[in-house]
Amino acid sequence: MRAKRYGRLTTAALPAVTWAVLTPWAWAQPPPVPAVPSPGAPAIGRAWPVGGHPVVLRGWEPPATVYGPGHRGVDLAAPAGAPVRAVAAGRVSFAGRVAGRGVVSVELSGTDLRTTYEPVRASVRKGDEVAAGEVVGAVEPTGAHCAVTCLHWGLLSGRTYLDPLSLLPPWLLRGGPSRLLPVLGVPLPRPASAANAP
């Protein structure tokens, strides 16, 4: 008798306990992705510049002043020769060498934003239109910017540097498909044939 009463109490209390425990997570918002301040509609990236979800070796560290120290972009791990892709559609505004390094800049369509990629051996020319995900060059092995070969990816609005990761939608930043996990302790629904049985 006592076991039956305990079983009914557990069955009755389980939904309330589950609701109390899981509700804060169910309503929690994912961490916000910084918005891109732009007078037009913000450009949303459709692809990482290198790889499927590269390792970020060094993140964006905005300087306190215009000429102050900081890191005006992000460094992504990438082997020499890896294809470099435009993160969003636009027009190539520069493809050439700056201080001995290959640089490609793309003005993003419908915005005042410009992405930069270096060191890159360009496969595009100034004035070329590129689609999101289109190859604009390959990572060059030159440079001592990173301890390993990397791509430095920048984002500018006019002359102001912004965080390039803000171009990517959350599903690209998370780096994998969503997975449903089992909820432990919740009884499975009974099949219809068992529910109708006497």
Side-chain angles (χ1 to χ4, degrees):
M1 181 74 174
R2 188 173 191 166
K4 264 185 165 177
R5 192 177 325 150
Y6 180 76
R8 277 184 286 186
L9 179 61
T10 303
T11 303
L14 185 60
V17 170
T18 303
W19 180 82
V21 170
L22 296 179
T23 296
W25 287 281
W27 293 102
Q29 295 293 323
V33 175
V36 178
S38 171
I44 299 296
R46 297 287 179 241
W48 283 90
V50 287
H53 190 270
V55 173
V56 177
L57 299 172
R58 185 175 177 191
W60 182 62
E61 299 164 14
T65 62
V66 176
Y67 300 107
H71 191 239
R72 294 162 173 83
V74 295
D75 294 335
L76 306 174
V84 177
R85 301 177 186 281
V87 297
R91 185 181 59 79
V92 176
S93 58
F94 181 83
R97 303 202 74 74
V98 176
R101 286 189 304 245
V103 177
V104 173
S105 294
V106 178
E107 293 175 350
L108 304 184
S109 300
T111 72
D112 69 339
L113 301 174
R114 184 172 80 254
T115 55
T116 61
Y117 312 93
E118 63 177 284
V120 174
R121 186 176 58 255
S123 60
V124 292
R125 290 186 297 217
K126 181 177 179 176
D128 287 352
E129 296 287 332
V130 293
E134 187 174 335
V135 174
V136 296
V139 176
E140 290 183 327
T142 59
H145 185 74
C146 302
V148 297
T149 308
C150 73
L151 174 77
H152 180 82
W153 173 32
L155 174 66
L156 294 99
S157 173
R159 292 179 174 229
T160 304
Y161 284 89
L162 305 171
D163 182 3
L165 294 178
S166 66
L167 285 176
L168 299 179
W171 62 269
L172 265 178
L173 290 171
R174 281 194 289 268
S178 299
R179 290 188 206 104
L180 295 176
L181 299 176
V183 178
L184 301 176
V186 176
L188 295 173
R190 293 175 21 181
S193 58
N196 295 333

